[in-house]
Amino acid sequence: MTENRLERRKARTRAALVRAAQEFIANGRLNAPILEITQSADVGMGSFYNHFESKEDLFQAALENALDTFGQVLDDLTGGIDDPAHVFAQSFRLTGRMHRRLPELSKVLLHNGFEFTKSGRGLAHRARRDIDAALAAGRFTVADPELALVIAAGSVLALGQLLHAEPERDDAAATDQIAEDLLRMLGVPADEAREISRRPLPDLDA
Amino acid sequence: MTENRLERRKARTRAALVRAAQEFIANGRLNAPILEITQSADVGMGSFYNHFESKEDLFQAALENALDTFGQVLDDLTGGIDDPAHVFAQSFRLTGRMHRRLPELSKVLLHNGFEFTKSGRGLAHRARRDIDAALAAGRFTVADPELALVIAAGSVLALGQLLHAEPERDDAAATDQIAEDLLRMLGVPADEAREISRRPLPDLDA
DNA sequence: ATTATCTATAGATCTATAGATAATGC
DNA sequence: ATTATCTATAGATCTATAGATAATGC
């Protein structure tokens, strides 16, 4: 908060546009006219171009913002854990629960498919870091960490698709089952994989 | 070929539009003007509306066509195999190789994310059928076939993303490693999982 | 004679900006 | 005095169709 009031107002306008854009992305309305987006953000049409060069530019910013925000939450909620296999499992289980708890964020990710996995930031980067740590600690024995990341990232996205398509399904049970399957695949003994993926979780509302 | 020449010409025009649309989807150009698509298909603007109500209608048809075509290829190339674990692995390995061999088809799938997994047709439906058969035969022991499908479908899509992002990477090696990991996860013993995922494959060019 | 296609374009829609207004800094 | 925002709109772009042309059926 070192900025002055003018810059804070500017930041608020930008944030309103980003938040509105995330809603449009979540609803798959990627072709919505800029005017509609600015109206939804309660911002004048002309202000749009003070902040973004084009609609694509805005959507890009909206996606990166969503990724950074959720990644930060995950780091906060796994900060005190020593066992890297536990960190990985807990991050996966929290991300699985995110699909229903934060449906807009979830749909932003799903609608952007895998674009985001290659960006150095965000969830993929964090998951890779956790997998590497677990390999170094001898907790995982999988052959190639990058391919392990591919399977984990693909699974968490496809799981989101399933949870939105079948609202009746128990999201925690499905998520934890997949976490257990992945841990086994990564080299954790079956009984331990089951135990780790059933541990109590911190609250996502933090 | 029971149709007359008029209907065959009509079908050709429609097919040209579908093929052009698949190229546009593959290149992420979902907002391209209809005129550009018809020009790329070498078809008059007005003919578009003889076949499709809107651009979305065309893109939907293009996606379903791509899925049906490749699914048919997979069925043909796994037709003679008795062991359902082998069928599953071979389908996965062929699909992984499809990303580089048929990059446009691959990108059509990636750009549409997971929309297609819920449609009853196409790849997801076939994979589910194979998993169920392997469970019934006692070859797989995974807890929930639907969640196994989630992991397999997510993995094959994320793998495609990786193979396009890293053109240097050996696609066959990456695909087969993931196939092996998935087989283990599904309950196949480690040594057998490795052997099944290294067997010779039929040629995708058929 | 019938059907599909093509060319040309009216009207609808959207983008990007000019110029006016409002808020803040100093 | 400066900066951000707002309203209003010119001009660009796109969609959907009308009417003309070409291909096929009978």
Side-chain angles (χ1 to χ4, degrees):
Chain A
M1 190 88 100
T2 112
E3 313 127 327
N4 57 25
R5 192 183 309 274
L6 208 56
E7 301 203 34
R8 285 199 297 281
R9 182 179 60 152
K10 191 172 176 179
R12 266 203 312 281
T13 301
R14 190 192 145 96
L17 288 168
V18 165
R19 231 173 301 126
Q22 287 170 343
E23 279 176 34
F24 278 82
I25 297 175
N27 294 319
R29 304 219 31 224
L30 294 170
N31 312 6
I34 293 173
L35 176 61
E36 244 189 277
I37 299 172
T38 57
Q39 280 171 342
S40 164
D42 198 21
V43 160
M45 170 79 235
S47 296
F48 176 88
Y49 293 94
N50 290 343
H51 297 276
F52 302 100
E53 298 220 325
S54 66
K55 205 157 50 183
E56 286 65 37
D57 192 20
L58 168 62
F59 282 148
Q60 180 68 26
L63 175 62
E64 289 178 3
N65 170 278
L67 282 171
D68 287 350
T69 302
F70 186 68
Q72 190 57 55
V73 169
L74 279 190
D75 279 354
D76 291 348
L77 292 181
T78 55
I81 303 177
D82 285 330
D83 174 14
H86 186 189
V87 172
F88 174 87
Q90 182 148 315
S91 293
F92 187 94
R93 295 169 68 208
L94 289 168
T95 305
R97 284 161 173 78
M98 171 273 295
H99 291 298
R100 290 264 177 80
R101 300 287 288 278
L102 304 170
E104 300 207 341
L105 171 60
S106 166
K107 287 177 185 169
V108 169
L109 296 190
L110 293 183
H111 275 283
N112 277 273
F114 300 95
E115 289 303 313
F116 78 95
T117 49
K118 60 188 168 202
S119 90
R121 52 211 305 181
L123 296 185
H125 172 77
R126 288 180 163 84
R128 177 60 194 269
R129 181 198 60 195
D130 296 340
I131 292 172
D132 286 343
L135 274 171
R139 296 287 284 147
F140 291 168
T141 62
V142 79
D144 183 333
E146 190 140 17
L147 298 183
L149 173 62
V150 163
I151 298 175
S155 297
V156 88
L157 290 177
L159 170 62
Q161 168 65 34
L162 176 76
L163 293 178
H164 293 308
E166 300 184 3
E168 302 301 313
R169 182 179 282 269
D170 181 337
D171 65 331
T175 300
D176 294 349
Q177 179 64 55
I178 292 180
E180 178 188 339
D181 292 342
L182 290 178
L183 285 177
R184 265 192 296 108
M185 191 199 70
L186 290 164
V188 176
D191 53 348
E192 198 183 348
R194 181 166 183 82
E195 187 271 318
I196 291 178
S197 58
R198 297 295 182 279
R199 287 182 189 163
L201 284 175
D203 202 330
L204 245 180
D205 292 327
Chain B
M1 191 88 100
T2 111
E3 314 126 327
N4 56 25
R5 192 182 311 273
L6 208 57
E7 301 203 34
R8 286 200 297 282
R9 182 179 61 153
K10 191 172 175 179
R12 266 202 312 279
T13 301
R14 189 192 145 97
L17 287 169
V18 165
R19 232 174 300 125
Q22 287 171 342
E23 279 176 35
F24 278 82
I25 297 175
N27 294 318
R29 304 218 32 225
L30 294 169
N31 310 9
I34 294 173
L35 176 60
E36 246 189 274
I37 299 172
T38 57
Q39 280 171 342
S40 164
D42 198 21
V43 160
M45 170 79 234
S47 295
F48 177 87
Y49 293 94
N50 289 342
H51 297 276
F52 302 101
E53 298 221 325
S54 66
K55 203 156 51 181
E56 287 64 38
D57 192 20
L58 169 62
F59 283 150
Q60 179 69 26
L63 175 63
E64 289 178 3
N65 170 277
L67 282 171
D68 286 350
T69 302
F70 187 68
Q72 190 58 54
V73 170
L74 280 190
D75 278 354
D76 291 347
L77 292 181
T78 56
I81 304 176
D82 284 332
D83 174 14
H86 187 190
V87 172
F88 174 86
Q90 182 147 314
S91 293
F92 187 94
R93 294 169 69 208
L94 289 168
T95 305
R97 284 160 174 78
M98 171 275 294
H99 291 299
R100 289 264 175 80
R101 298 287 288 280
L102 304 171
E104 299 206 342
L105 170 61
S106 166
K107 287 176 186 170
V108 168
L109 295 190
L110 294 182
H111 276 283
N112 278 274
F114 300 96
E115 289 304 313
F116 78 93
T117 49
K118 59 189 167 198
S119 89
R121 52 210 301 180
L123 295 184
H125 173 76
R126 288 178 162 84
R128 177 60 195 269
R129 180 198 60 194
D130 296 340
I131 291 172
D132 285 343
L135 273 170
R139 297 287 285 149
F140 292 169
T141 61
V142 78
D144 183 333
E146 189 139 20
L147 298 183
L149 172 61
V150 164
I151 298 175
S155 297
V156 88
L157 290 178
L159 170 62
Q161 167 65 33
L162 176 77
L163 293 179
H164 293 307
E166 301 184 4
E168 302 301 313
R169 180 179 284 270
D170 181 337
D171 66 331
T175 299
D176 293 349
Q177 179 63 55
I178 293 181
E180 177 188 339
D181 291 341
L182 290 179
L183 285 178
R184 266 193 296 110
M185 191 199 72
L186 290 164
V188 177
D191 53 347
E192 198 184 348
R194 181 166 186 83
E195 188 272 317
I196 291 178
S197 58
R198 298 295 182 280
R199 288 182 188 162
L201 284 176
D203 201 331
L204 245 180
D205 292 326

